[in-house]
Amino acid sequence: MQKVIYMEEAEQYAEYIAPKAGGYIREGRVDTFESYKNYTLFIFLMYHTGQTGRAANPVIVYLDHEDLFLLCETQRGYERVSSLFAKEETNERALWNFFQNLLKNDMDNLEDLECEVADAEMAAMVRFQNDYIRKIIAYRKELLRLKRYYEQLDAIMDNLILNENRLLTEEGIRHFTILASRTTRYLGNVLNLRDYVTQMREAYQAQIDIEQNNLMRLFTVITAVFMPLTLMTGWYGMNFVNMPEMGWKYAYPVFAAVSALVCAALLALFKKKRWV
């Protein structure tokens, strides 16, 4: 029998499921992958790579020589599994076909995500965006989700290929080996894209640091320009009597001219040093 059912319906098919496996399903004690003498039982979290941020749907797979059951916990998970599952001549063929349909559009979805990340980086280079860091965090979160998703699928494929209980034929092993290679390739793409997003964040932070350094340099130049003027005003602000230039009628214009000359000379020096 090949069927997609809800987890609470497992009791109705108890005659087709090994008693020990049925107990594990009822008690919620199903591990990532368990290979027993006459059956294989495993669970994985099914994601939709084209729908960012959607919750995962746990799916339990029970496989023996005669039966294949895919047990779903939620209605959304049941509908998605049902849309991907089709009965085949053999259980291994049906299971392989399900995983192949599950991974069918993942390459296109990963390429779309890569283009979206690249466009976000280009937009940030053209103009400053206040939400750029928020976008990077969202991309990192999504890529972490995809990393965990493909890691669990990769582990499942490896365990199926081992075929410890001889439930798969040589042809089935070859088919799942192809799926394992595809899953590994998708995982590598996710890891590369995750490194790319990390580099984006570092480059953006470096750009912010450069802008802050330029701003601090501007303030430093302004301070350096007006510091001699502060010294001069402090000098002439002292309460000394009989300062010779105080009685000169051109003292104020000369002081103003000297102040302007000092500012111009310092600005010319800073410009020559490429500080401004």
Side-chain angles (χ1 to χ4, degrees):
M1 178 181 292
Q2 301 171 8
K3 197 171 184 62
V4 179
I5 62 175
Y6 287 99
M7 291 185 185
E8 56 265 24
E9 295 178 337
E11 288 289 345
Q12 303 177 21
Y13 300 89
E15 59 181 302
Y16 303 101
I17 301 176
K20 190 175 182 180
Y24 287 158
I25 294 172
R26 289 191 301 271
E27 297 170 8
R29 294 169 52 196
V30 180
D31 293 327
T32 303
F33 194 98
E34 290 292 342
S35 180
Y36 297 92
K37 182 178 180 180
N38 297 319
Y39 65 90
T40 294
L41 182 68
F42 62 89
I43 185 173
F44 71 98
L45 297 178
M46 181 179 62
Y47 289 106
H48 196 314
T49 58
Q51 298 178 357
T52 304
R54 294 293 293 270
N57 297 291
V59 178
I60 295 177
V61 177
Y62 172 84
L63 173 68
D64 61 23
H65 291 283
E66 292 82 23
D67 305 296
L68 171 63
F69 291 102
L70 280 73
L71 299 93
C72 306
E73 185 175 283
T74 64
Q75 181 179 355
R76 184 160 58 87
Y78 177 85
E79 293 174 353
R80 176 156 169 73
V81 171
S82 298
S83 67
L84 299 173
F85 183 77
K87 293 183 179 180
E88 297 284 350
E89 296 179 359
T90 61
N91 291 334
E92 67 176 25
R93 183 76 181 183
L95 183 61
W96 173 81
N97 188 61
F98 165 74
F99 279 113
Q100 176 167 274
N101 291 333
L102 182 64
L103 299 171
K104 185 176 181 180
N105 299 317
D106 283 18
M107 179 57 72
D108 293 335
N109 294 332
L110 290 176
E111 289 179 353
D112 291 341
L113 179 59
E114 184 176 357
C115 291
E116 182 181 344
V117 171
D119 291 341
E121 182 185 26
M122 184 63 65
M125 291 176 61
V126 174
R127 65 185 184 278
F128 181 82
Q129 294 181 333
N130 293 327
D131 61 341
Y132 186 65
I133 291 295
R134 180 181 60 80
K135 289 182 178 180
I136 291 179
I137 293 175
Y139 289 141
R140 286 174 59 86
K141 184 177 180 180
E142 175 66 14
L143 290 169
L144 178 60
R145 184 187 74 139
L146 292 174
K147 172 179 171 291
R148 292 173 177 171
Y149 173 58
Y150 288 120
E151 282 178 342
Q152 66 173 351
L153 289 181
D154 196 38
I156 288 172
M157 297 302 166
D158 288 342
N159 283 287
L160 286 172
I161 293 171
L162 284 176
N163 197 24
E164 293 179 341
N165 48 17
R166 306 299 179 183
L167 291 180
L168 302 181
T169 63
E170 291 296 326
E171 181 182 3
I173 293 175
R174 288 196 301 270
H175 287 159
F176 279 103
T177 300
I178 295 174
L179 284 182
S181 299
R182 185 184 305 176
T183 306
T184 302
R185 185 167 64 252
Y186 292 167
L187 177 59
N189 291 343
V190 169
L191 294 177
N192 291 335
L193 189 55
R194 192 181 181 201
D195 292 339
Y196 179 52
V197 171
T198 300
Q199 294 172 5
M200 285 172 53
R201 182 173 184 178
E202 293 174 352
Y204 183 72
Q205 187 62 47
Q207 184 63 32
I208 292 178
D209 293 341
I210 291 174
E211 293 178 358
Q212 290 178 344
N213 291 337
N214 290 336
L215 184 61
M216 293 302 298
R217 184 171 60 182
L218 177 61
F219 288 152
T220 302
V221 168
I222 293 174
T223 302
V225 168
F226 286 97
M227 188 174 295
L229 304 184
T230 303
L231 176 62
M232 294 169 62
T233 55
W235 179 272
Y236 283 100
M238 293 185 294
N239 293 322
F240 289 122
V241 295
N242 298 326
M243 295 182 70
E245 56 272 28
M246 288 298 185
W248 187 34
K249 63 179 181 178
Y250 298 110
Y252 183 79
V254 170
F255 182 83
V258 171
S259 299
L261 181 62
V262 170
C263 291
L266 290 175
L267 288 174
L269 177 63
F270 294 154
K271 188 174 182 180
K272 182 179 181 181
K273 297 289 186 180
R274 296 184 178 178
W275 293 348
V276 292

